[in-house]
């Protein structure tokens, strides 16, 4: 997904540097709006998954601190290791969708 989003961002950035007719801009704006809707859905799903992993991590951490044990330590560490890439990917999605909003508004002004 990250590769697909980056490729599209490169495309739309290059597209915005060129001159286009009003019809082309309207068509590209509607396509961009559809992409934004798809990526907003992706962003919501990743937010929910990230929050779930954060809750699982905190619960396992509290259980490890109160009960102890090697199994709970491994579980806590596993949730932490999985949580970090989810946070990184969500951060990427959030910033990219915000950039798409800015591009959409620039097209709208043209």
């Amino acid at each position: 997904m990250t590769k697909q989003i980056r490729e599209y961002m490169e495309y739309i950035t290059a597209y915005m540097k060129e001159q286009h007719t009003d019809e082309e801009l309207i068509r590209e704006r509607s396509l961009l709006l559809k992409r934004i809707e798809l990526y907003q859905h992706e962003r919501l799903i990743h937010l929910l998954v990230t929050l779930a992993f954060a809750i699982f991590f905190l619960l396992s951490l509290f259980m490890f601190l109160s009960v102890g044990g090697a199994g709970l330590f491994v579980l806590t560490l596993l949730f932490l290791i999985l949580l970090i890439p989810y946070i990184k990917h969500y951060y990427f999605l959030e910033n990219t969708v915000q950039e798409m909003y800015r591009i959409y508004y620039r097209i709208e002004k043209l």
Side-chain angles (χ1 to χ4, degrees):
M1 179 60 75
T2 303
K3 181 181 175 186
Q4 178 188 11
I5 294 172
R6 283 192 175 130
E7 287 173 356
Y8 182 72
M9 288 303 292
E10 288 174 9
Y11 162 76
I12 196 70
T13 303
Y15 182 88
M16 289 302 294
K17 291 179 182 177
E18 301 168 359
Q19 293 292 327
H20 299 282
T21 65
D22 289 343
E23 293 167 357
E24 291 173 334
L25 287 172
I26 290 170
R27 184 181 59 83
E28 194 62 40
R29 186 182 69 182
S30 68
L31 292 174
L32 177 60
L33 187 59
K34 288 180 183 179
R35 288 277 184 142
I36 289 172
E37 290 172 0
L38 291 171
Y39 295 142
Q40 281 178 334
H41 178 68
E42 182 79 15
R43 186 175 65 171
L44 176 63
I45 298 302
H46 276 278
L47 174 63
L48 295 174
V49 170
T50 302
L51 288 175
F53 269 91
I55 290 169
F56 295 155
F57 167 71
L58 290 175
L59 288 173
S60 64
L61 178 65
F62 291 140
M63 287 177 61
F64 170 70
L65 293 176
S66 63
V67 176
L72 282 173
F73 175 73
V74 170
L75 183 65
T76 303
L77 192 60
L78 201 64
F79 281 131
L80 179 62
I81 290 170
L82 290 171
L83 182 61
I84 291 170
Y86 276 120
I87 291 172
K88 182 181 174 191
H89 186 65
Y90 180 75
Y91 181 78
F92 170 76
L93 284 172
E94 180 69 30
N95 287 335
T96 305
V97 170
Q98 293 297 323
E99 181 63 27
M100 285 182 188
Y101 287 150
R102 284 189 281 279
I103 292 170
Y104 179 82
Y105 295 138
R106 277 193 358 223
I107 293 174
E108 205 172 54
K109 287 180 183 178
L110 296 175

